[in-house]
Amino acid sequence: MIHVAWLGKKSPFCGNVTYGLNTTHALKSRGYGVSFIHFDTPATGQFGLAEPQGRQPVTPSGSFSGDSHAQLADERAATDPSRANPAADVALPYLVKSQVYTIPSPGAQRELRESLERLQPDLVHASLTLSPLDFRLPELCQQLGLPLVATFHPAFDASLRNLASGTQQLTYQLYARSLARFDRVIIFSELQAEVLERLGVSAERLAVIPNGVDPQLWCPAETQPSAAFPELRERFRGQRVFLYMGRLSTEKNVEALLKAWRLVRPAGCVLVIVGDGPLLGALQAGREEADVVWWGYESRLEVRVALQQIAEVFLLPSLVEGLSLALLEAMASGTACVATDAGADGEVLEGGAGIVMRTQGVTTQLRTLLPVLRDQPVLTAELGLRARRRVLERYTLANNIDAVEQLYAEVLAADQLPLSRASNSGNSRQRPRVG
């Protein structure tokens, strides 16, 4: 049995949390031993604090996207020490933890080293948390003789292809030198790979392994309706549902979607906005609108599945993204999808699997698209079929884990070669790509 030390996050909710819970649960189901090392116990003392996280209730399934009830045990173990296996779950102290970044306490690196020495894993997989500790991992693992794999999550937009200025570019530049010292780095798209190669990370170090979802869980109602589907069908009877599901924050660009919706007001349609975030109050602006439903944060998996099943169109107007799990869930559910080309989302929908918008001028583009989507139900039905077909071809969780397993095997095999960890030369492996 291969023993993986997984370094990642279990809270607060974000895509990194979902990715870590999904992947580690799937690896366990395939017989891997997994020790989950994460920032959990706040450091005490004058400067020890946890950053306010807003309304972040514990959810039955562990996150907002792409999870399953089988992950409940993982989350309970993360929040209740009595449920956790001390050998499998390690909490590192931190000073500040948010959805975006983590600042570890001064003793976190020592505790990580001691944990790895005690656990003696076959390899370390770091789902990078935007933490200063990320940059120390290559040296630490080399000292311990442990192969090191990373998953690099930061969102990006199409302008990064030309290395345009911006926060995302700065993040990629900051990490590039360190990523070049990992044995392998998992990213979600070819565009990400291009950017990192330009910044000096060799192609042999990069592995394009897109996110994946479970198409048996996220499926059309005709295939397997969620337990909550009948109730939602009754609630929205006579209305065609257009859905946004995600955080309400600046980078998600929900304001542009709302502007277009309020200008068009498509007859017989309702916009359902599922999620919470710092812009909730500003976006609502005290309005009561019959055709806009502010659903709020939804913790129940069966309701989230039913919302995707009841929706005719899923809308994602983001300015920056990685690879949206909510988008993949909508596609797997047979929902027509409209998204910007932020991050890898454009790659996912290209070739007719959905409608791709530019990140600039989203309101103008939606003013044109919304009436078409309203008037052409045959079009939305066809887009839904194509979207699910694309997921089945390229973006299933099983395919994702197959590729991760292959990568682990390559890394472990290379680790047995003389001087393989001391030099990049002689490595002829090609960058793997699912689908």
Side-chain angles (χ1 to χ4, degrees), residues 246-263:
R247 270 179 55 78
L248 303 179
S249 52
T250 302
E251 71 275 7
K252 297 299 185 180
N253 202 26
V254 180
E255 182 180 8
L257 167 59
L258 281 168
K259 284 181 179 178
W261 188 267
R262 288 163 177 163
L263 288 168

Side-chain angles (χ1 to χ4, degrees), residues 159-204:
S159 66
L160 275 179
R161 187 185 298 274
N162 300 314
L163 295 182
S165 61
T167 304
Q168 291 75 40
Q169 181 211 351
L170 185 61
T171 302
Y172 275 68
Q173 288 179 327
L174 184 65
Y175 267 85
R177 181 174 294 182
S178 179
L179 292 177
R181 300 173 61 202
F182 284 71
D183 289 286
R184 299 300 288 273
V185 179
I186 295 173
I187 65 271
F188 300 136
S189 74
E190 295 292 347
L191 176 55
Q192 265 184 302
E194 289 178 27
V195 172
L196 289 172
E197 285 177 40
R198 289 192 180 196
L199 291 172
V201 183
S202 66
E204 291 78 14

Side-chain angles (χ1 to χ4, degrees), residues 20-71:
L21 291 175
N22 281 352
T23 306
T24 55
H25 175 73
L27 289 171
K28 290 176 186 177
S29 73
R30 297 190 180 195
Y32 285 74
V34 178
S35 300
F36 206 123
I37 304 172
H38 60 111
F39 294 101
D40 186 41
T41 307
T44 58
Q46 181 179 2
F47 299 106
L49 70 157
E51 182 176 282
Q53 297 164 11
R55 285 186 280 172
Q56 294 293 338
V58 176
T59 74
S61 52
S63 74
F64 203 72
S65 306
D67 41 27
S68 67
H69 287 303
Q71 293 165 354

Side-chain angles (χ1 to χ4, degrees), residues 86-141:
D89 201 86
V90 177
L92 300 178
Y94 63 89
L95 298 175
V96 176
K97 181 171 68 170
S98 77
Q99 291 175 312
V100 180
Y101 59 86
T102 303
I103 300 178
S105 74
Q109 183 175 352
R110 184 193 73 250
E111 293 194 30
L112 174 60
R113 183 187 186 98
E114 292 173 353
S115 296
L116 292 174
E117 289 175 337
R118 182 181 76 254
L119 294 168
Q120 297 186 345
D122 295 298
L123 63 84
V124 177
H125 189 152
S127 185
L128 297 177
T129 60
L130 297 187
S131 160
L133 195 57
D134 295 345
F135 302 96
R136 300 172 184 172
L137 290 175
E139 181 179 0
L140 174 60
C141 287

